[in-house]
Amino acid sequence: MELGSVKSFLKGKTILVTGATGFLGKIFVEKILRDQPDVKKLYILLRASNPCSATERMHNEIIGKYLFKVLREKLGGDFGSFISDKVVAVAGDVSSENLGIKDEKLRKEMLEGIDIVLHSAASTKFDERFDVAMGTNTFGAFNVVNFAKSCTKVEILLYVSTGSL
Ligand SMILES: NC(=O)c1ccc[n+]([C@@H]2O[C@H](COP(=O)([O-])OP(=O)(O)OC[C@H]3O[C@@H](n4cnc5c(N)ncnc54)[C@H](OP(=O)(O)O)[C@@H]3O)[C@@H](O)[C@H]2O)c1
């Protein structure tokens, strides 16, 4: 795919991103919002106990980072409303069934709206406890695949990993 056609493909799309506080996920989120501001929505799944702390994590660990300087400068005073309009922080955990999304209304909205799933959440520690590594990297991928299969109109599941499914 040419870069131009990727951009036009992303127009109006709704994307679920896991691992967005991580090295790769954060760059993906910034790149999408800067290059294709006409993306419909990004759902960002973060480990958090409730929606407020998910939103707080999103601002502190993703949107508030220096990486977003170019987009912030480009949009000026509209940056905050652009982010609130396009980005939704979702409290969850990939190691849990239904990605740990407890809010049923939100989960239904996601299942009906998502076109693309980017799964980059992982434990990247080489000395991680075995059960935690299994839960995140093996069952996490399994749960994301099941979630994507339940999405009524999903077109792409992109799994970023050093391993394979
Ligand atoms: N970085 C590279 O150069 C590179 C190269 C090739 C492949 N990869 C692969 O790409 C993937 C992402 O790498 P990365 O460097 O971005 O990793 P990273 O910086 O370690 O980020 C991992 C992300 O996964 C999230 N996460 C961990 N456990 C989770 C769970 N149970 N539920 C939800 N989210 C969870 C972390 O969230 P928290 O903030 O909550 O911990 C964080 O956002 C990995 O599979 C890695 O092996 C990376």
Side-chain angles (χ1 to χ4, degrees):
M1 243 187 187
E2 296 297 321
L3 195 58
S5 60
V6 173
K7 265 177 83 166
S8 58
F9 173 76
L10 291 172
K11 188 173 179 181
K13 293 289 195 281
T14 294
I15 309 173
L16 167 66
V17 185
T18 72
T21 56
F23 178 72
L24 294 181
K26 201 181 288 157
I27 293 169
F28 178 84
V29 169
E30 191 275 342
K31 173 80 175 159
I32 296 279
L33 292 173
R34 179 167 46 80
D35 261 3
Q36 184 41 284
D38 289 330
V39 68
K40 187 170 179 191
K41 194 169 279 191
L42 295 186
Y43 289 109
I44 297 191
L45 188 96
L46 298 122
R47 283 193 284 189
S49 51
N50 59 59
C52 282
S53 46
T55 304
E56 200 176 309
R57 279 202 74 190
M58 180 183 85
H59 284 288
N60 292 342
E61 297 176 44
I62 306 170
I63 305 297
K65 291 291 180 189
Y66 185 73
L67 175 66
F68 284 79
K69 179 177 180 275
V70 173
L71 185 61
R72 199 175 293 111
E73 283 178 357
K74 192 171 143 192
L75 296 178
D78 294 332
F79 180 76
S81 57
F82 174 76
I83 295 297
S84 345
D85 187 35
K86 301 280 176 181
V87 190
V88 179
V90 179
D93 189 316
V94 297
S95 61
S96 302
E97 204 183 338
N98 290 320
L99 307 184
I101 305 164
K102 296 196 179 83
D103 182 335
E104 280 185 31
K105 188 166 166 268
L106 173 63
R107 196 168 71 225
K108 184 170 179 288
E109 177 190 296
M110 291 171 73
L111 292 173
E112 288 170 358
I114 287 167
D115 303 288
I116 299 165
V117 177
L118 173 81
H119 176 43
S120 74
S123 167
T124 51
K125 282 201 232 159
F126 289 107
D127 59 350
E128 185 62 273
R129 253 177 48 184
F130 182 73
D131 57 339
V132 176
M134 275 289 282
T136 309
N137 296 347
T138 305
F139 292 108
F142 179 74
N143 292 330
V144 170
V145 169
N146 282 338
F147 191 85
K149 278 180 166 175
S150 306
C151 291
T152 48
K153 61 184 182 105
V154 73
E155 291 178 69
I156 295 177
L157 165 61
L158 180 61
Y159 176 34
V160 186
S161 170
T162 41
S164 60
L165 270 179

